[in-house]
C-alpha cells in the first residue's frame, strides 16, 4: 500500500487530508473527528513502519514526493470519530498492550497559527537557517513601532525554527524506527501546545541492546548464600533479628539465602536465562535505560553536522525526555506497583523509624540513586552514636558547671576586678562579675570532655568511611556490580557538539579532510581565565562580606553602649552575637543560590566534552564556593577574632577608627558555638527543608493561579490525564549533586568544629531523619522518573568526605589549643598554681594597664561610671605590668603557653592520625563473607560454562556418529526420526 507523501521526512507519519501550503496542520489524535475521504486515505494517527530494501535519499525535496518513503500503516488505533479503540489509562500504547518505555515531548503549533511553505531541506539551507536563528537569539532585530514584540518573536520563531524542528523530529523518528523501536504520536493531549512521542522497545531490541550494553541478568542457576560463621557475622545476624520490626515490608516472599548467578546477557546463550515471562525479564528501569542508550546513539545526519538527542533537546526540537513512573500511588483503583510500595514503605513520614528499602529504590530508580540513599542511611545511622556521645559531653558540662573554679571566680562578687573598656570613648570600665553568665555557658562546651569528644569524632569519621566502604562492597555484590567498569561510551554533550560544529564551519577550508575537529585548551583558554578570575573575585566578595559583618558588630556594640535605654544596655554581648550570626546566615543562604548559578555558568563556559566531566567540574567549583561561604565566618571566629586586637593604649584600627573586636573573658568559643548553631540549624531548616517543600508548593500555586480552572476542576482533569501527561507536569530530575552537596556541608559542620559544638551530631541526626523522607517524597511524587544510571560507588563525593575527615583532625586540634582555654588551664595548673588547683587562674590570665597611658581621644567619656575613680584596669592577655622594666611587652607565660599549644597540636594530630590509620588497616574494605561469595560465584560460573561446552562437544560427537551411520548411497533410506525421539546408534558397528 503506497501512501501519498506530503513532504514530511519521518517514517512515522500523521496524515489528514492533503495539506496545501498555508493550511494549518492537524494537531489532534483522538480529540478531533477525522472524516475519511476514501478507502485509501491514511489517517493522521496511524503508525507506520518502514519497508526495508530501499536506500534512502538524503537530499529530499520536501515540495515533492520521495521514492524512499514507502511505509505501511500499523493496526489502526482509533475509530472514525477519533476515539481510541483500546482505551487504557496507564503507561501503554493506545492498543493497551505495548508498554511505553520512554516519552519525548515537543511543542506543536496551535491550529490558528500559519505555517510557511516548507523549503528544501538541503545542507546550505539548513546551516543558513541555523545561523539566522542563532544570531536572532543573541541580537534581536529592531521591531516596527506598532508591532507587538511577543507576536513578532512568535512569527520569527515560526518562520525560522518550526519547519526545521519538525524536519529534524521526522528524521530522528525515522532513524529510531530503523533501530527497531516502535513509536506512537499523541498530539491531541489535554496539555495545550505539547505533543508526545511514545516509544516502545520490542523484545528483539531489548535483547540486542542488552547484549550490546553487557547488562548482567540473573540466570536459571541459583546457589545458596551461606552466612559467615565468625563472631562479627553472628553479631550482625543477631542485630538483624532484633531490628526485624524496623525493616520495611518489601520483598518478604523472596528467600534471602538464595541468589541467582548473573551473567552478561547474550542472545546465543538465552537458554541460560529464565525467559518464561518475557514481560518481566527486563524490568521498567532496565527497559527505559535501554531505550535511552538507543536515543543517545541515534543521530540526525542530513546536515553538515550530526545531532543526537542531547542536541535536539538543547535546541528545542524536543522539550523534554523522560521514562514513565510505574503507576498511581493514591486512589482506590490504583494497581499494586513499585511506586506505590515505595510511597507506603519509604516516602511516608509515618515510617521514619524504619530502614530504607534500598533494594526496591535501586530496582525503581537505578544504582546511582540507590547508592545515594544507601550512603545517606549509613551516615544517619552512624550519627546516632555520635549524637549520644555529644549529648553526654554536653550533660557533663551542665553537671560540672557549679564545680568549675574559673567560672566560680568570675561570678564571685568579692573579687572586685575592674576591666578596661571594650571600645573607645563610648564604652566605660566594667566589672568582671557581669560576665558570669557567659563564663558559665562557655563551660558547657569548653571542658575536658570536649577533648575526648574531638578524638572520638576523628575516629568516628574513619569508622564511618570504613563502614560505608564495606556496605558499598556488599551492595556491589548483591546488585551484581562487582565486574562493572567504566568501559561504557560517554556521549558528548550538546553544547560541545555545537561548539565543534561552529569551529568546523569557521575552519572549513583550512582543516584537512578526515581530521577530527575537537576543542583544545587554546579554545577554552578564555573560559579558564574567566573561571579563575571569577572564582577569586567571588572568594574576595565572601571575605569582604564577612569583614562587613565584623564592622557591623563593632559599630552596633558602640551604639548600644551609647544608648540611653537600660534594656539595650543590659545584654549587649548576646544581642550583638545573635544578630550578627543571623545576618551571616541570611547572607550564606543568599550567596549559596547565587554561587550555584555562577558555578554552573562558569562550567558551561568551559564546554566540557561529556556529562561526567561537566558534573565533576561543577561539583568542584560549587563545593569550593559554598565551603568558603559557609565556613569563612566560623574560621574567623575560631582563629582570628581576639588575636588581632593589640592592647589598651595601642589598639589595632581598621577603616579609620574601627577598633578590632575582642573575645569575651571566657574566650571566643561561646561565640563560635552560637554561630555554628544558628548557621547549621538555619541552613537545615530554611535552605534544606523549607526551600524543598516551599518552592514546589509555590510553583504549583502559581501554575494554578495562571490556570483558569479551580482546584476541583484541576483535580478532575488530573484524573483523566494519561500517565505520560501526568509525568510531564512533574518537575524534571536535575541530578543528585544538590542532595550530596548539602550533606557534605553538614558533614563539615559536624566534624570540623565539633570541639566547640558537641550537639552538632544530634541536630544533624534530627535533620537527616526528616531529609530522608523529604527526599523520598520528592523522588516518588514530585519529580519525573530519572534515567536509571549504573554506578559502583559515590564517586568524587567519597574523596571530599575523606579530605574533610583528615582536615577535621587538624582543625579540632587548633580549636582546642588556640580557641579554648584548655591549654592555658593545664599550663597554669602544672606550672604556676601554688597548690596544683585552678584557684587563681582568672587573675593569672589578666594583665594590668595604667589608665593614664590611654592614647588621646580614646579614654572613656564617663570614667566615673562605676562610682569610683579607676587608676588601673585589667585586660585578658599575658603581658608585663606597667611598673615592669619592659611595660606591656609579652611575658614569659605567653611564650610558655604558645609552646604548649603548638606541642599539643602536633601530638594530637599525629596521635589521632595514627589511630585513624590503624583503624583503617584493621578493618578490611571487603567483608569476608562477601569475598568468599564472590569467589564462589566465579567458580560456579566457570563450572556452568564448562558443562555447557561439554554438552556442546557431546552433541557434536553424537551428530558426527549419526552422520557416519547414515549411508549416503543407500537408495532405500529410512525417513529421518523426529528431534524429540532419541537417536539410537545400536545399528552402528
Amino acid at each position: 500500500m503506497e501512501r501519498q507523501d506530503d513532504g514530511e521526512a519521518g517514517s512515522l507519519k500523521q496524515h489528514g487530508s492533503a495539506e496545501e501550503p498555508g493550511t494549518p496542520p492537524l494537531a489532534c489524535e483522538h480529540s478531533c473527528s477525522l472524516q475519511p475521504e476514501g478507502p485509501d486515505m491514511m489517517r493522521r494517527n496511524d503508525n507506520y513502519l518502514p519497508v526495508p530494501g530501499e536506500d534512502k535519499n538524503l537530499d529530499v525535496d520536501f515540495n515533492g514526493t520521495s521514492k524512499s518513503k514507502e511505509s505501511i500503516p500499523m493496526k489502526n488505533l482509533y475509530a472514525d470519530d477519533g476515539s481510541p479503540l483500546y482505551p487504557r489509562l496507564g503507561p501503554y500504547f493506545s492498543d493497551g498492550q505495548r508498554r511505553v518505555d520512554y516519552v519525548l515531548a515537543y511543542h506543536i503549533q496551535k491550529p490558528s497559527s500559519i505555517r510557511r511553505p516548507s523549503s528544501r531541506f538541503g545542507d546550505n539551507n539548513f546551516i543558513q537557517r541555523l545561523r539566522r536563528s542563532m544570531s536572532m537569539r543573541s541580537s534581536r532585530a529592531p521591531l516596527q513601532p506598532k508591532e507587538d514584540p511577543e507576536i513578532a518573536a512568535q512569527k520569527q520563531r515560526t518562520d525560522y525554527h518550526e519547519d526545521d524542528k519538525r524536519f529534524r523530529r521526522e528524521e530522528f523518528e525515522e532513524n529510531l524506527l530503523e533501530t527497531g523501536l516502535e513509536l506512537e504520536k499523541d498530539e491531541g493531549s489535554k496539555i495545550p501546545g505539547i505533543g508526545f512521542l511514545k516509544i516502545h522497545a520490542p523484545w528483539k531490541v531489548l535483547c540486542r541492546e542488552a547484549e550490546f550494553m553487557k547488562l548482567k541478568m540473573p540466570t536459571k542457576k541459583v546457589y545458596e548464600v551461606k552466612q559467615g560463621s565468625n563472631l562479627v557475622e553472628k553479631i550482625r545476624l543477631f542485630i538483624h533479628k532484633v531490628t526485624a520490626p524496623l525493616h520495611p515490608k518489601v520483598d518478604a516472599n523472596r528467600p534471602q539465602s538464595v541468589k541467582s548467578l548473573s551473567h552478561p546477557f547474550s542472545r546465543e546463550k538465552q537458554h541460560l536465562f529464565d525467559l518464561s515471562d518475557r514481560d518481566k525479564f527486563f524490568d521498567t528501569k532496565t527497559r527505559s535505560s535501554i531505550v535511552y542508550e538507543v536515543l543517545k546513539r541515534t543521530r540526525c545526519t542530513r546536515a553538515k553536522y550530526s545531532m543526537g538527542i542531547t542536541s535536539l533537546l538543547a535546541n528545542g526540537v524536543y522539550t523534554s525526555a523522560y521514562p514513565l513512573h510505574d503507576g498511581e500511588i493514591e486512589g482506590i483503583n490504583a494497581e499494586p506497583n513499585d511506586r506505590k510500595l515505595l510511597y507506603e514503605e519509604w516516602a511516608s513520614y509515618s515510617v521514619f523509624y524504619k530502614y530504607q528499602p534500598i533494594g526496591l529504590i535501586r530496582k525503581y530508580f537505578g544504582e546511582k540513586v540507590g547508592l545515594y540513599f544507601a550512603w545517606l542511611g549509613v551516615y544517619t545511622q552512624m550519627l546516632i552514636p555520635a549524637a549520644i556521645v555529644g549529648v553526654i559531653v554536653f550533660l557533663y558540662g551542665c553537671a560540672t558547671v557549679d564545680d568549675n573554679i574559673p567560672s566560680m571566680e568570675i561570678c564571685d562578687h568579692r573579687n572586685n576586678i575592674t576591666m578596661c573598656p571594650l571600645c573607645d570613648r563610648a564604652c566605660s570600665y566594667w566589672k568582671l562579675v557581669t560576665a558570669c553568665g557567659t563564663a558559665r555557658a562557655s563551660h558547657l562546651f569548653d571542658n575536658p570532655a570536649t577533648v575526648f569528644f574531638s578524638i572520638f569524632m576523628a575516629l568516628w569519621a574513619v569508622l564511618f568511611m570504613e563502614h560505608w566502604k564495606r556496605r558499598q562492597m556488599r551492595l556491589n555484590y548483591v546488585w551484581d556490580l562487582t565486574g562493572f567498569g567504566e568501559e561504557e561510551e560517554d556521549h558528548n554533550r550538546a553544547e560541545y557538539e555545537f561548539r565543534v560544529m561552529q569551529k568546523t564551519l569557521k575552519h572549513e577550508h583550512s582543516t584537512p579532510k578526515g581530521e577530527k575537529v575537537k576543542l583544545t585548551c587554546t579554545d577554552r583558554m578564555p573560559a579558564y581565565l574567566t573561571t579563575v578570575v571569577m572564582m577569586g573575585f567571588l572568594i574576595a566578595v565572601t571575605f569582604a562580606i564577612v569583614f562587613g559583618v565584623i564592622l557591623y558588630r563593632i559599630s552596633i556594640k558602640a551604639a548600644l553602649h551609647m544608648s540611653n535605654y537600660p534594656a539595650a544596655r543590659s545584654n549587649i554581648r548576646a544581642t550583638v552575637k545573635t544578630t550578627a550570626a543571623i545576618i551571616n546566615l541570611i547572607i550564606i543562604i543568599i550567596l549559596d543560590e547565587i554561587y550555584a548559578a555562577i558555578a554552573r555558568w562558569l562550567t558551561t563556559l568551559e564546554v566540557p566534552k561529556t556529562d561526567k566531566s561537566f558534573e565533576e567540574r561543577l561539583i568542584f567549583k560549587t563545593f569550593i564556593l559554598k565551603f568558603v561561604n559557609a565556613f569563612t565566618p566560623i574560621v574567623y571566629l575560631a582563629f582570628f577574632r581576639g588575636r588581632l586586637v593589640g592592647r589598651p593604649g595601642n589598639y589595632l584600627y581598621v577603616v579609620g577608627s574601627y577598633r578590632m573586636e575582642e573575645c569575651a573573658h571566657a574566650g571566643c568559643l561561646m561565640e563560635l558555638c552560637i554561630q555554628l548553631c544558628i548557621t547549621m540549624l538555619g541552613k537545615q531548616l530554611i535552605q534544606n527543608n523549607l526551600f524543598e517543600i516551599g518552592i514546589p508548593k509555590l510553583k504549583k500555586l502559581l501554575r494554578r493561579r495562571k490556570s483558569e480552572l479551580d482546584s476541583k476542576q484541576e483535580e478532575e482533569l488530573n484524573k483523566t490525564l494519561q500517565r505520560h501527561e501526568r509525568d510531564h507536569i512533574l518537575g524534571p530530575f536535575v541530578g543528585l549533586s544538590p542532595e550530596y552537596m548539602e550533606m557534605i556541608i553538614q558533614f563539615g559542620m559536624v566534624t570540623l568544629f565539633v570541639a566547640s559544638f558537641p550537639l552538632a551530631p544530634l541536630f544533624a541526626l534530627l535533620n537527616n531523619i526528616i531529609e530522608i523522607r523529604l527526599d523520598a517524597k520528592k523522588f516518588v511524587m514530585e519529580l519525573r522518573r530519572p534515567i536509571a544510571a549504573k554506578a559502583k560507588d559515590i564517586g568524587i563525593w567519597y574523596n571530599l568526605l575523606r579530605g574533610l575527615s583528615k582536615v577535621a583532625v587538624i582543625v579540632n586540634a587548633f580549636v582546642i589549643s588556640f580557641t579554648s582555654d584548655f591549654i592555658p588551664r593545664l599550663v597554669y595548673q602544672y606550672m604556676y598554681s601554688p597548690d596544683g588547683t585552678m584557684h587563681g587562674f582568672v587573675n593569672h590570665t589578666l594583665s594590668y594597664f595604667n589608665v593614664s597611658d590611654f592614647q588621646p581621644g580614646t579614654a572613656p567619656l564617663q570614667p566615673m561610671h562605676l562610682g569610683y575613680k579607676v587608676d588601673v584596669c585589667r585586660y585578658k592577655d599575658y603581658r608585663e605590668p606597667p611598673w615592669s622594666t619592659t611595660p606591656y611587652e609579652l611575658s614569659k607565660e605567653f611564650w610558655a603557653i604558645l609552646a604548649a599549644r603548638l606541642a599539643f597540636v602536633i601530638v594530637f594530630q599525629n596521635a589521632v592520625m595514627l589511630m585513624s590509620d590503624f583503624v583503617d588497616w584493621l578493618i578490611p574494605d571487603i567483608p569476608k563473607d562477601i569475598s568468599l561469595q564472590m569467589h564462589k560465584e566465579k567458580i560456579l560460573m566457570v563450572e556452568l560454562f564448562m558443562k555447557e561446552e561439554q554438552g556442546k562437544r557431546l552433541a557434536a560427537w553424537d551428530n558426527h556418529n549419526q552422520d557416519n551411520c547414515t549411508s549416503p548411497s543407500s537408495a532405500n533410506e529410512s525417513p529421518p526420526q523426529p528431534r524429540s525421539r532419541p537417536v539410537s546408534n545400536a545399528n552402528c558397528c
Side-chain angles (χ1 to χ4, degrees):
M1 177 177 177
E2 290 190 24
R3 64 180 172 86
Q4 309 257 335
D5 192 1
D6 64 346
E8 294 188 3
S11 293
L12 171 66
K13 300 298 178 191
Q14 293 187 344
H15 290 272
S17 58
E19 291 182 10
E20 294 293 329
T23 2
L26 293 177
C28 61
E29 181 179 352
H30 49 77
S31 59
C32 304
S33 177
L34 300 178
Q35 298 295 333
E37 297 185 8
D40 296 330
M41 181 58 63
M42 307 284 167
R43 219 174 252 107
R44 184 177 179 82
N45 302 294
D46 288 346
N47 289 350
Y48 297 90
L49 293 177
V51 173
E54 281 193 58
D55 294 329
K56 290 183 169 47
N57 182 16
L58 296 183
D59 272 333
V60 182
D61 190 347
F62 289 93
N63 293 323
T65 58
S66 173
K67 297 180 181 179
S68 63
K69 292 173 185 162
E70 305 285 345
S71 62
I72 57 174
M74 291 174 54
K75 186 176 180 180
N76 195 9
L77 304 178
Y78 294 92
D80 293 338
D81 60 351
S83 60
L85 294 177
Y86 305 94
R88 177 173 181 182
L89 290 178
Y92 296 94
F93 275 19
S94 299
D95 58 5
Q97 302 297 322
R98 292 169 295 172
R99 185 179 184 87
V100 178
D101 298 317
Y102 214 83
V103 171
L104 300 178
Y106 55 92
H107 283 299
I108 55 176
Q109 290 180 331
K110 297 179 180 179
S112 59
S113 64
I114 298 176
R115 180 180 296 178
R116 198 176 52 136
S118 302
S119 58
R120 179 180 176 87
F121 189 77
D123 291 346
N124 296 331
N125 262 353
F126 165 64
I127 296 299
Q128 288 172 5
R129 283 198 298 269
L130 183 61
R131 284 175 174 171
R132 284 200 301 267
S133 65
M134 294 309 298
S135 63
M136 210 173 58
R137 289 184 183 182
S138 57
S139 59
R140 180 174 296 179
L143 303 173
Q144 298 296 328
K146 295 183 180 180
E147 191 173 14
D148 185 80
E150 291 186 7
I151 297 176
Q154 185 178 359
K155 286 181 180 179
Q156 287 176 342
R157 286 196 300 271
T158 301
D159 291 344
Y160 291 102
H161 294 298
E162 291 303 326
D163 282 347
D164 290 337
K165 289 180 182 178
R166 181 167 53 88
F167 296 152
R168 273 164 187 69
R169 282 199 298 269
E170 290 166 353
E171 183 195 355
F172 187 70
E173 290 158 11
E174 182 178 347
N175 294 336
L176 289 179
L177 285 169
E178 290 178 353
T179 64
L181 296 178
E182 297 177 3
L183 311 178
E184 181 181 274
K185 278 190 176 182
D186 179 7
E187 293 189 352
S189 67
K190 296 183 179 179
I191 302 178
I194 299 295
F196 296 97
L197 179 69
K198 296 180 279 188
I199 304 174
H200 168 74
W203 174 254
K204 290 183 179 180
V205 175
L206 293 174
C207 293
R208 182 191 69 210
E209 297 298 324
E211 182 175 355
F212 178 75
M213 296 167 62
K214 301 177 182 177
L215 294 181
K216 276 191 170 183
M217 304 302 294
T219 63
K220 298 177 183 177
K221 177 71 174 178
V222 295
Y223 66 96
E224 184 180 0
V225 179
K226 294 183 179 180
Q227 303 294 338
S229 58
N230 55 10
L231 181 62
V232 177
E233 291 302 321
K234 289 181 179 178
I235 294 174
R236 190 175 66 83
L237 290 175
F238 174 75
I239 294 175
H240 183 80
K241 290 180 180 179
V242 171
T243 59
L246 302 180
H247 290 276
K249 299 175 182 178
V250 175
D251 293 336
N253 298 326
R254 190 176 67 179
Q256 301 291 332
S257 58
V258 174
K259 185 178 185 294
S260 297
L261 197 63
S262 295
H263 184 264
F265 186 81
S266 173
R267 286 173 289 181
E268 295 180 355
K269 297 183 174 63
Q270 288 192 22
H271 58 278
L272 297 178
F273 305 94
D274 183 9
L275 303 180
S276 57
D277 189 354
R278 291 185 173 186
D279 292 336
K280 294 183 179 179
F281 182 72
F282 295 106
D283 57 13
T284 56
K285 172 204 64 167
T286 307
R287 296 175 69 99
S288 62
S289 62
I290 287 175
V291 174
Y292 182 63
E293 285 297 319
V294 177
L295 291 175
K296 286 198 295 185
R297 287 203 319 270
T298 307
R299 322 292 293 176
C300 294
T301 55
R302 285 183 178 157
K304 286 188 176 179
Y305 72 102
S306 63
M307 296 179 69
I309 184 62
T310 52
S311 301
L312 296 174
L313 286 169
N315 293 329
V317 178
Y318 292 103
T319 57
S320 57
Y322 53 91
L324 297 183
H325 280 292
D326 271 3
E328 300 303 320
I329 55 179
E330 295 174 335
I332 303 174
N333 298 326
E335 298 179 359
N337 57 74
D338 288 342
R339 187 187 185 197
K340 185 177 182 182
L341 190 58
L342 282 172
Y343 174 74
E344 294 171 350
E345 295 294 331
W346 181 49
S348 175
Y349 292 108
S350 61
V351 294
F352 73 93
Y353 60 92
K354 288 188 177 183
Y355 291 105
Q356 300 180 88
I358 297 298
L360 186 60
I361 297 171
R362 172 253 179 180
K363 178 186 175 185
Y364 192 78
F365 292 110
E367 285 77 8
K368 197 169 185 179
V369 175
L371 278 175
Y372 164 71
F373 283 103
W375 173 83
L376 184 57
V378 170
Y379 173 47
T380 305
Q381 289 177 19
M382 289 295 292
L383 281 172
I384 295 175
I388 293 173
V389 176
V391 171
I392 292 174
V393 170
F394 178 75
L395 293 178
Y396 170 81
C398 296
T400 58
V401 66
D402 293 329
D403 300 329
N404 184 39
I405 295 176
S407 60
M408 290 171 61
E409 288 183 349
I410 292 174
C411 297
D412 192 351
H413 291 271
R414 294 173 297 180
N415 294 330
N416 190 20
I417 300 176
T418 304
M419 303 297 292
C420 295
L422 296 173
C423 61
D424 291 343
R425 295 177 65 80
C427 304
S428 185
Y429 306 105
W430 57 285
K431 292 286 188 180
L432 181 61
V433 70
T434 57
C436 175
T438 306
R440 290 172 64 86
S442 296
H443 178 73
L444 303 179
F445 306 100
D446 185 8
N447 54 70
T450 306
V451 181
F452 159 76
F453 190 54
S454 300
I455 299 174
F456 170 82
M457 286 303 294
L459 297 178
W460 171 87
V462 177
L463 288 171
F464 163 58
M465 303 301 290
E466 291 301 314
H467 180 35
W468 167 244
K469 281 195 292 187
R470 291 170 63 86
R471 171 71 168 154
Q472 189 172 257
M473 286 303 303
R474 192 176 294 277
L475 291 176
N476 284 342
Y477 163 71
V478 174
W479 295 350
D480 296 316
L481 295 172
T482 50
F484 177 73
E486 299 298 330
E487 69 274 0
E488 289 82 9
E489 179 186 358
D490 209 351
H491 298 271
N492 295 343
R493 298 179 64 249
E495 291 82 357
Y496 180 84
E497 291 180 346
F498 183 72
R499 283 288 298 274
V500 169
M501 181 270 296
Q502 287 182 322
K503 186 178 179 181
T504 305
L505 294 176
K506 187 176 181 181
H507 304 285
E508 186 174 4
H509 301 290
S510 59
T511 305
K513 289 187 177 180
E515 182 178 345
K516 190 175 182 180
V517 180
K518 62 181 180 179
L519 296 184
T520 62
C521 289
T522 307
D523 299 324
R524 293 190 175 101
M525 189 57 65
Y528 289 156
L529 292 176
T530 304
T531 298
V532 172
V533 172
M534 198 68 181
M535 293 280 287
F537 172 73
L538 294 178
I539 293 173
V541 167
T542 304
F543 291 162
I545 291 175
V546 172
F547 184 70
V549 176
I550 295 171
L551 297 184
Y552 161 80
R553 275 200 293 255
I554 296 170
S555 57
I556 200 69
K557 184 186 295 183
L560 290 176
H561 275 288
M562 296 173 65
S563 175
N564 296 324
Y565 294 99
R569 297 170 61 94
S570 61
N571 207 349
I572 295 175
R573 283 186 180 274
T575 304
V576 173
K577 293 174 191 174
T578 307
T579 55
I582 293 174
I583 291 173
N584 272 325
L585 169 65
I586 295 172
I587 291 172
I588 287 171
I589 291 175
I590 295 173
L591 289 183
D592 266 356
E593 302 301 320
I594 296 174
Y595 287 172
I598 293 176
R600 180 169 289 276
W601 172 68
L602 291 174
T603 309
T604 306
L605 282 182
E606 296 175 5
V607 196
K609 185 176 181 180
T610 62
D611 287 329
K612 182 180 179 182
S613 175
F614 181 90
E615 186 180 20
E616 288 179 350
R617 296 184 188 205
L618 178 61
I619 289 171
F620 177 72
K621 294 181 185 67
T622 310
F623 175 74
I624 289 179
L625 292 176
K626 289 195 173 186
F627 186 85
V628 170
N629 182 37
F631 288 97
T632 298
I634 299 171
V635 170
Y636 164 74
L637 287 174
F639 302 122
F640 295 99
R641 183 177 177 181
R643 288 167 181 80
L644 305 173
V645 178
R647 60 170 180 82
N650 188 23
Y651 283 114
L652 176 66
Y653 294 90
V654 292
V655 195
S657 59
Y658 286 93
R659 193 179 103 187
M660 289 301 291
E661 51 186 350
E662 305 175 44
C663 290
H665 178 76
C668 284
L669 202 67
M670 189 61 195
E671 297 188 31
L672 177 62
C673 174
I674 292 175
Q675 180 68 55
L676 263 172
C677 181
I678 292 179
T679 302
M680 187 173 181
L681 291 178
K683 275 180 68 67
Q684 292 178 352
L685 182 65
I686 298 173
Q687 194 172 27
N688 298 354
N689 294 334
L690 286 184
F691 279 13
E692 291 187 8
I693 298 174
I695 290 180
K697 298 276 187 188
L698 185 62
K699 288 181 179 179
K700 189 175 181 180
L701 180 64
L702 292 175
R703 189 167 61 245
R704 182 177 295 175
R705 294 194 67 175
K706 288 181 181 179
S707 174
E708 299 177 356
L709 304 176
D710 57 20
S711 57
K712 290 185 178 179
Q713 291 175 332
E714 187 176 358
E715 187 178 350
E716 291 296 326
L717 177 63
N718 288 337
K719 289 181 180 178
T720 61
L721 293 178
Q722 298 188 46
R723 179 76 269 150
H724 60 276
E725 295 170 331
R726 295 189 185 188
D727 285 6
H728 185 267
I729 299 174
L730 301 177
F733 175 70
V734 296
L736 292 169
S737 294
E739 314 295 337
Y740 272 115
M741 187 63 69
E742 65 184 58
M743 288 295 109
I744 295 295
I745 297 297
Q746 184 201 85
F747 182 80
M749 295 277 184
V750 168
T751 56
L752 288 179
F753 295 93
V754 73
S756 61
F757 190 38
L759 294 179
L762 175 64
F763 291 134
L765 173 63
L766 297 177
N767 172 80
N768 288 2
I769 292 174
I770 301 173
E771 180 76 18
I772 289 175
R773 306 303 164 181
L774 192 64
D775 285 347
K777 204 160 191 173
K778 182 171 66 175
F779 271 76
V780 173
M781 297 183 64
E782 297 173 3
L783 295 180
R784 294 174 190 159
R785 189 174 183 177
I787 306 294
K790 279 189 177 294
K792 64 185 303 182
D793 52 39
I794 60 175
I796 191 175
W797 301 108
Y798 181 82
N799 298 329
L800 293 177
L801 287 168
R802 197 163 187 83
L804 283 176
S805 63
K806 298 292 184 184
V807 173
V809 177
I810 303 172
V811 170
N812 281 302
F814 276 95
V815 168
I816 294 171
S817 297
F818 289 90
T819 309
S820 73
D821 281 339
F822 177 73
I823 298 300
R825 287 197 295 263
L826 284 181
V827 172
Y828 174 79
Q829 185 173 1
Y830 293 106
M831 289 184 62
Y832 299 105
S833 175
D835 54 358
T837 64
M838 293 301 297
H839 289 286
F841 171 72
V842 173
N843 187 63
H844 180 262
T845 59
L846 298 176
S847 299
Y848 294 88
F849 177 74
N850 193 331
V851 298
S852 60
D853 295 333
F854 273 122
Q855 290 181 350
T858 61
L861 295 175
Q862 299 177 352
M864 300 296 293
H865 173 71
L866 296 177
Y868 55 89
K869 183 181 179 182
V870 177
D871 296 323
V872 176
C873 62
R874 310 290 294 274
Y875 62 99
K876 189 176 182 181
D877 205 348
Y878 291 96
R879 292 182 179 270
E880 297 290 343
W883 51 83
S884 171
T885 54
T886 55
Y888 307 125
E889 293 293 329
L890 295 173
S891 63
K892 60 180 182 180
E893 288 87 354
F894 172 84
W895 300 108
I897 292 173
L898 179 62
R901 281 173 164 163
L902 294 175
F904 178 83
V905 169
I906 295 172
V907 172
F908 181 90
Q909 173 187 339
N910 286 279
V912 174
M913 289 286 190
L914 183 63
M915 286 189 289
S916 301
D917 291 340
F918 176 73
V919 171
D920 192 358
W921 169 82
L922 189 64
I923 302 175
D925 294 345
I926 304 177
K928 187 176 180 181
D929 62 319
I930 296 298
S931 61
L932 292 175
Q933 297 297 341
M934 290 167 61
H935 182 65
K936 182 178 179 180
E937 266 197 4
K938 291 180 181 178
I939 295 175
L940 290 173
M941 187 64 69
V942 171
E943 290 179 355
L944 182 64
F945 282 104
M946 290 296 291
K947 288 182 180 178
E948 185 183 2
E949 290 297 323
Q950 187 178 3
K952 286 182 179 179
R953 286 198 299 267
L954 290 175
W957 180 257
D958 290 343
N959 291 334
H960 179 69
N961 290 339
Q962 184 178 1
D963 292 340
N964 291 337
C965 290
T966 305
S967 174
S969 61
S970 176
N972 299 324
E973 194 171 345
S974 60
Q977 295 178 349
R979 288 187 180 181
S980 59
R981 189 180 303 166
V983 178
S984 175
N985 295 327
N987 297 328
C988 295
C989 297

